[in-house]
């Protein structure tokens, strides 16, 4: 399976960050897999944002829960991250990932996409 | 959240050295730990899951042990390809959390 992130690299403060992960070699709505978003910054290190399960169930990091939504588009075989009201603290490399099939091992990763929040 | 504390944060070593990295969890997490390797400009790569199980493509010079709150990753004989940053991660409890990383560089 291969994953590829896409989206704008620059977002204005207070606006909404939207990223998409395109999946090949697997389907986002079959196979009992967890499709996750993780971000990485020098300040916070690696931070798990949340996942969408193949069934559509979601689970988010409580630290971001009020601002984050993860959704999927099975027709395009993609899943997406939406993060509202961004600040400079949301500047990071954003990764999408899929588990190994065991429910927790983050095994397949995209290459990452850098996002800068700045006016 | 469960805090994962890695030590050291960095180390310098030579090819052929034995390297050990430690990860301590803020509460017991059984064996729900994974280890990742990350090279500059690349995504993290999963090396180990369930505290001690190597993926098929991971060289046998890597090993890991631990349960509860103390975990270690060992590289028995450091190779040039191993210079990288290593992270532990717990998946006992959501939110998933990672250690701060250990950078292994060339002495």
């Amino acid at each position: 399976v291969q994953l590829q992130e896409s989206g704008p690299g620059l977002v204005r403060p207070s606006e909404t960050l939207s990223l998409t992960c395109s999946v090949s070699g697997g389907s986002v709505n079959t196979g009992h897999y967890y499709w996750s978003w993780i971000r990485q910054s020098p300040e916070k290190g690696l931070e798990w944002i949340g996942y969408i399960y193949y069934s559509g169930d979601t689970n988010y990091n409580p630290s971001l829960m009020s601002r984050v939504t993860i959704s999927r588009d099975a027709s395009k075989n993609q899943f997406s991250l939406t993060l509202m009201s961004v600040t400079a603290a949301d500047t990071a490399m954003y990764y999408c990932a899929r588990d190994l099939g065991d429910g927790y091992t983050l095994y397949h990763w995209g290459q990452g996409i850098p996002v800068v929040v700045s006016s | 959240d469960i805090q994962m504390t890695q030590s050291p944060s960095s180390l310098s070593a030579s090819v052929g050295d034995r390297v050990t990295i430690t990860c301590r969890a803020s509460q017991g997490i059984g064996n729900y730990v994974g280890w990742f390797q990350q090279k500059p400009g690349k995504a993290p790569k999963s090396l180990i899951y369930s505290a001690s199980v190597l993926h098929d493509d991971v060289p046998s010079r890597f090993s890991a042990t631990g349960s509860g709150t103390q975990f270690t990753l060992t590289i028995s004989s450091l190779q040039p390809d191993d210079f990288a940053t290593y992270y532990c991660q717990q998946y006992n409890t959501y939110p998933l959390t990672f250690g701060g990383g250990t950078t292994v560089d060339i002495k």
Side-chain angles (χ1 to χ4, degrees):
Chain A
V1 62
Q2 295 189 339
L3 299 92
Q4 177 71 58
E5 303 89 348
S6 61
L10 177 65
V11 184
R12 306 296 184 192
S14 79
E15 295 188 346
T16 297
L17 180 163
S18 296
L19 299 175
T20 296
C21 183
S22 298
V23 178
S24 58
S27 174
V28 297
N29 64 342
T30 62
H32 298 266
Y33 294 116
Y34 293 78
W35 304 88
S36 292
W37 286 97
I38 301 104
R39 66 182 184 180
Q40 183 175 29
S41 65
E43 296 76 21
K44 295 183 180 179
L46 286 161
E47 182 179 25
W48 174 78
I49 299 170
Y51 70 67
I52 185 164
Y53 193 39
Y54 84 102
S55 63
D57 291 342
T58 55
N59 188 5
Y60 303 128
N61 193 320
S63 68
L64 298 168
M65 187 179 295
S66 63
R67 299 192 291 133
V68 69
T69 303
I70 298 176
S71 59
R72 63 179 181 170
D73 185 336
S75 66
K76 295 181 179 178
N77 210 28
Q78 297 174 336
F79 64 106
S80 298
L81 169 70
T82 301
L83 185 64
M84 301 185 298
S85 304
V86 298
T87 69
D90 296 308
T91 294
M93 180 71 78
Y94 285 75
Y95 296 99
C96 58
R98 199 207 79 181
D99 74 300
L100 190 59
D102 56 0
Y104 36 76
T105 303
L106 295 167
Y107 188 74
H108 300 283
W109 293 65
Q111 66 184 26
I113 184 168
V115 175
V116 174
V117 178
S118 176
S119 56
Chain B
D1 298 2
I2 295 176
Q3 307 303 315
M4 302 295 285
T5 303
Q6 279 184 246
S7 60
S9 58
S10 65
L11 64 91
S12 297
S14 301
V15 172
D17 284 353
R18 182 181 182 89
V19 169
T20 298
I21 298 167
T22 298
C23 184
R24 186 181 77 250
S26 60
Q27 63 189 72
I29 56 173
N31 68 336
Y32 291 104
V33 164
W35 289 93
F36 292 83
Q37 176 192 67
Q38 187 178 32
K39 296 182 179 179
K42 300 293 186 180
K45 175 188 176 184
S46 179
L47 298 177
I48 288 164
Y49 62 101
S50 296
S52 63
V53 182
L54 271 65
H55 293 293
D56 291 344
D57 63 336
V58 176
S60 59
R61 62 181 179 273
F62 288 90
S63 64
T65 63
S67 67
T69 61
Q70 296 283 350
F71 303 88
T72 61
L73 172 69
T74 299
I75 309 172
S76 60
S77 178
L78 199 65
Q79 298 301 302
D81 191 49
D82 302 336
F83 292 97
T85 301
Y86 295 85
Y87 296 92
C88 59
Q89 179 233 327
Q90 68 81 21
Y91 43 82
N92 178 76
T93 305
Y94 284 100
L96 307 181
T97 51
F98 294 83
T102 297
T103 299
V104 178
D105 61 22
I106 300 173
K107 181 184 287 184

